[in-house]
Amino acid sequence: DFAATPKTNVWSIGLTAQWTIFDSGRQSAKIAAATVELNDARLAEEQAKRDIKERNSQSLVELDTARKKWDISRREVQNALEMVELSDQRLERGVGTVSDTLIAIERLTDAKIRQSSSWCQGLSASAKFLANLGTLDRAAILRLSKYTYSK
């Protein structure tokens, strides 16, 4: 602060400082609110991590289940094919009936339907797993359809 007194020709120089000692608790309220927001954000982050981990675990279980179903359905088809061959051989030897062969063919058809269904479930589980990992794209889908479950 510069001031001149004209009568005495004396100059004075001063420094003024202002500090709010009591702000009615505004600053501490802002700090408390920011602390609560930070804690909420940390909790949300932890919950998101738990959710991701749970989704990944669940998709792994689904993928494993789908692969087991696929293996079972392949064996069912193989067994049904053998039954059709056996019933054909029995029919040729005269010890089997056409009805036995038709029943064997029906069971083979059912087994193939279950195999197709398990293949689709496996493909879906694989895609879900990759999507949870964030790596699902067109190329991954094509690889899955060709290599995940061999027919």
Side-chain angles (χ1 to χ4, degrees):
D1 206 10
F2 294 102
T5 308
K7 295 181 184 174
T8 60
N9 229 2
V10 175
W11 289 86
S12 68
I13 298 175
L15 181 64
T16 304
Q18 184 177 2
W19 181 332
T20 305
I21 295 172
F22 184 69
D23 65 354
S24 301
R26 279 185 243 133
Q27 187 66 21
S28 61
K30 286 180 184 178
I31 291 171
T35 303
V36 168
E37 285 182 31
L38 179 61
N39 287 337
D40 287 349
R42 285 181 179 154
L43 289 173
E45 178 186 24
E46 290 302 316
Q47 184 62 45
K49 286 179 182 179
R50 284 191 297 272
D51 290 347
I52 289 168
K53 188 175 181 179
E54 177 62 29
R55 279 196 310 268
N56 286 345
S57 295
Q58 185 63 34
S59 65
L60 273 174
V61 167
E62 290 173 10
L63 183 60
D64 186 52
T65 301
R67 286 183 187 210
K68 287 176 182 174
K69 284 181 179 180
W70 170 251
D71 288 338
I72 291 169
S73 69
R74 275 194 342 205
R75 282 184 252 136
E76 285 179 346
V77 167
Q78 191 63 28
N79 290 339
L81 279 169
E82 290 173 9
M83 291 306 292
V84 168
E85 289 174 12
L86 287 174
S87 66
D88 278 347
Q89 291 170 1
R90 291 184 67 183
L91 184 62
E92 287 175 6
R93 282 187 258 151
V95 291
T97 64
V98 173
S99 179
D100 293 337
T101 302
L102 291 175
I103 290 171
I105 291 171
E106 178 186 17
R107 289 182 180 154
L108 174 62
T109 303
D110 290 343
K112 285 187 174 189
I113 289 170
R114 283 190 300 277
Q115 183 182 34
S116 295
S117 175
S118 70
W119 184 79
C120 291
Q121 289 171 354
L123 196 58
S124 174
S126 298
K128 185 177 179 181
F129 177 72
L130 290 176
N132 283 337
L133 294 179
T135 58
L136 183 63
D137 59 10
R138 182 171 166 70
I141 292 170
L142 291 174
R143 282 192 309 272
L144 283 174
S145 65
K146 290 181 184 176
Y147 303 112
T148 302
Y149 299 91
S150 58
K151 289 188 176 184

